[in-house]
Amino acid sequence: MAGKLLVAGSVAYDCIETPLASEDYILGGSASYAALAASYFSPAMMCGIVGNDFKKSDVERLKARSIDISNVVFHPSKPTFFWRGKYFENFNSRETLDVRLNAYEDYKPELNESARSAEYVLLGNISPTIQASVFGMLDSPKFTVADTMDLWINNEREALVDLVRRVDLLILNDSEAKLFTGENNIIRAGRALLKLGAKCALVKAGEYGSMLFHERGFFVAPAYPVDDLRDPTGAGDSFAGALAGRIAAIGDFGFESLKKAMLYASATASMTVESFSCYKLEENGMDEIERRKNYIEKISRAD
Ligand code: AMP
């Protein structure tokens, strides 16, 4: 049965440099991208914290997509989470130049009744301690997804392993899966995630698509072919948000449903990378997501 979706994670201001352009202090963060992407599929609630510099216009951007921000705290004195990143020549590799937790430093999540009773939950990329704290407050979730990144794999491994064993689906990108498992082959890394205790694992490989490692089998979804890449930031978060949103909307998280959700997730993530911040994601709408999802289906069918 379809149900409510809660999205936790970072709400950030990003300064981003790509080989073509750069932008400063734009709305980013795992929860922002994920909730905006999810909102095309199912009503989304967001949980996190922003600082005293958080712009009213950015609050409006979230509200414009009907995202429930009643579990987002406004810190009275600290600034919003800050991330500065730089992409190299081929856009495929990036370096974090600066990351400041700011408002997240002493953040202890609190959830209202509506959020606690969410049946579908995406624990977007943030410290596994915060993710576990949100997880611990949930009444009886039906399907939980967790995403993470290299910083937490390196710095909070134990807490992350513990979380991975509790959630229903772990989403990572290929380099993070390799870092987490110590494997240098993506297939071996996916299987190693299951051995580590993940119930099922989804490994993303950017423009090459994504792979699902599930007890019922293995599935590969292509990425939507993008030829006008502007800024890859948030692709993973919007992929996870769209996937969780689609699952919440149809209320079925079996293998076949996950496969279809991956196509929608690829379609949605492809819009994110065509602009800085979440602009294209906000602009394009569900018709374009459906069109891209149909195109992905068409180009990957051989019958
Ligand atoms: P992605 O490109 O999908 O990995 O997501 C990038 C987004 O994650 C940016 O908008 C950043 O603000 C945010 N981010 C970067 N580092 C972290 C971190 N350590 N924890 C949570 N969010 C982060």
Side-chain angles (χ1 to χ4, degrees):
M1 219 176 55
K4 287 188 291 188
L5 174 71
L6 173 67
V7 176
S10 58
V11 186
Y13 279 135
D14 294 342
C15 290
I16 297 166
E17 196 183 316
T18 76
L20 300 177
S22 36
E23 290 236 5
D24 284 347
Y25 290 94
I26 48 177
L27 177 65
S30 57
S32 315
Y33 281 107
L36 283 164
S39 71
Y40 285 105
F41 300 88
S42 108
M45 290 179 278
M46 197 166 146
C47 142
I49 186 165
V50 297
N52 58 357
D53 56 347
F54 200 70
K55 295 184 217 124
K56 244 188 170 168
S57 54
D58 289 325
V59 171
E60 294 311 318
R61 287 168 71 180
L62 300 170
K63 285 190 174 164
R65 295 275 337 130
S66 302
I67 294 164
D68 175 348
I69 58 163
S70 55
N71 293 280
V72 175
V73 178
F74 289 75
H75 199 291
S77 54
K78 288 192 173 175
T80 299
F81 184 110
F82 175 77
W83 180 73
R84 183 185 291 278
K86 178 182 172 168
Y87 289 86
F88 297 106
E89 216 42 27
N90 61 4
F91 279 90
N92 275 341
S93 55
R94 79 176 176 204
E95 188 185 351
T96 290
L97 301 175
D98 197 1
V99 55
R100 297 179 194 196
L101 298 183
N102 293 335
Y104 276 86
E105 254 155 20
D106 43 16
Y107 172 55
K108 305 258 178 305
E110 279 179 29
L111 300 183
N112 62 22
E113 199 36 58
S114 174
R116 281 172 194 264
S117 62
E119 290 147 316
Y120 299 88
V121 180
L122 169 59
L123 303 168
N125 174 32
I126 192 66
S127 118
T129 311
I130 293 177
Q131 291 174 311
S133 156
V134 171
F135 187 93
M137 279 185 268
L138 303 170
D139 291 340
S140 49
K142 287 186 176 153
F143 188 70
T144 52
V145 183
D147 188 4
T148 192
M149 76 184 300
D150 49 1
L151 179 77
W152 312 118
I153 296 172
N154 287 325
N155 296 356
E156 292 195 33
R157 190 186 163 83
E158 234 172 82
L160 188 59
V161 171
D162 190 51
L163 182 80
V164 162
R165 294 185 171 145
R166 297 162 77 194
V167 296
D168 297 299
L169 170 66
L170 173 68
I171 302 188
L172 290 176
N173 71 30
D174 48 355
S175 62
E176 291 156 356
K178 289 175 185 170
L179 176 70
F180 199 17
T181 59
E183 296 287 354
N184 59 11
N185 168 287
I186 192 167
I187 305 297
R188 292 176 71 95
R191 290 188 191 134
L193 290 171
L194 300 185
K195 282 207 190 104
L196 209 75
K199 295 189 187 83
C200 81
L202 206 165
V203 181
K204 298 161 294 162
E207 64 187 310
Y208 306 110
S210 54
M211 297 170 196
L212 177 65
F213 298 83
H214 191 279
E215 60 181 10
R216 286 209 31 221
F218 174 65
F219 180 69
V220 183
Y224 179 84
V226 169
D227 59 9
D228 190 18
L229 184 64
R230 296 292 171 91
D231 171 20
T233 309
D237 308 315
S238 33
F239 182 99
L243 186 115
R246 161 80 190 176
I247 294 295
I250 60 166
D252 177 350
F253 39 88
F255 186 48
E256 297 306 320
S257 274
L258 283 169
K259 283 159 63 173
K260 185 69 139 279
M262 284 168 71
L263 304 185
Y264 277 108
S266 290
T268 311
S270 73
M271 304 196 317
T272 294
V273 305
E274 289 178 345
S275 75
F276 279 94
S277 189
C278 317
Y279 302 123
K280 269 281 171 83
L281 192 57
E282 292 161 276
E283 215 175 273
N284 271 353
M286 194 61 203
D287 288 350
E288 180 61 12
I289 295 176
E290 282 289 352
R291 193 193 66 74
R292 291 185 186 208
K293 177 246 156 201
N294 291 338
Y295 186 72
I296 295 170
E297 258 174 352
K298 185 175 144 205
I299 59 169
S300 53
R301 213 172 28 227
D303 52 357

